[in-house]
Amino acid sequence: MKPRYLFPKDFMADPSANVFNGRMYVYPSHDYDSGAAFDDDGGHFQMRDYHVLSMDDVMNGEVTDHGVILDVDDVPWAEKQMWDNDVVEKNGKYYLVFSAKDYNGVFHLGVAVSDRPEGPFKSEPAPIIGSYSIDPCVFKDDDGEVYCYFGGLWGGQLQWYRNNKLKPAASVGEENFNPTLLPSGKEDALPSRVVRMSEDMLQFAEEPKPVLIVDNSGAPLKADDPHRFFEASWMFKRNGTYYFTYSTGDSHYLCYATADNPYGPFTYQGVILEPVCGWTTHHSITEYKGQWYLFHHDCQPSEGKDWLRSLKVMPLEFDANGKIATMKSE
Ligand code: FUB
């Protein structure tokens, strides 16, 4: 089946799709033309607010735009660049976890709370203590524990940190992409992070841990592997298997790796999506009414403008062994 452009009226990206109260909700970033030039730090992504979209038929149904659910002016600690977010329900409240830059140009993760999936959401006064980098995915396991997966290279600043501490050589400022902080060649790739959230969902309950992706022999993927982690962590569970899915950034794939627990290590399995039109590729995978879907974005409608992305969705199939066939979004 051909993918559907979900919301042709506006430019949105980084869709996090979640089912709440029997309805599909999609929480994207909200692209606009700020006039900022393209750079390797993502300085062209100057997003200011979030909307939420909802529908009860993913491929054909009407898509409702519930309007602005959080604006950067209503986040006391954030100056700019409201990048990827995700929402989870816990004990009847909805928690929007998002990434934005503070007034020192440093990315952190923040939490905003609502009584309804449609928002509006009210931001906490300060970012999550000990949080850094971008692209949070909040995943609720069957026992009710919520895990946050996060991190992104280059403009996402993940290369500034080792063992959750700023590397001494990291320069805090506008120049995020400092290649000397990145591993290279046959050094182990930099991993995404996973952390269990506190019961009230407002803080980390523990120190973030690396999300190790290993090959079939148990060796970590290397920095020069085109399938190594870059950004856009997503987690889902199917038939007891934890699927960690992610973008490879500069090689432009969506890939996946599996484990029998939320912390991993995750064994690399393959490519989910071939490169799309545009530099970034970012997604979520969710089941609704018995069908799995791949939500993603591309830049075809804006004729390749990386900072003006459009939401897409298509069905996703698993084989009898739980494997995902590589797809193209055309
Ligand atoms: O939308 C801004 C950034 O672009 C996201 O945080 C990345 O995952 C990439 O999609």
Side-chain angles (χ1 to χ4, degrees), residues 14 29 45 47 83-84 134-135 231-232 280 282 297 309:
D14 309 331
S29 310
F45 297 127
M47 299 84 96
W83 286 14
D84 174 51
I134 59 166
D135 285 3
E231 62 187 2
T280 66
H282 190 128
H297 66 229
R309 299 164 292 180

Side-chain angles (χ1 to χ4, degrees), residues 16 18 20 27 85-89 94-97 117 121 138:
S16 295
N18 291 286
F20 297 127
Y27 299 87
N85 73 83
D86 190 18
V87 172
V88 69
E89 179 275 333
Y94 296 83
Y95 297 89
L96 183 141
V97 182
F121 287 80
V138 273

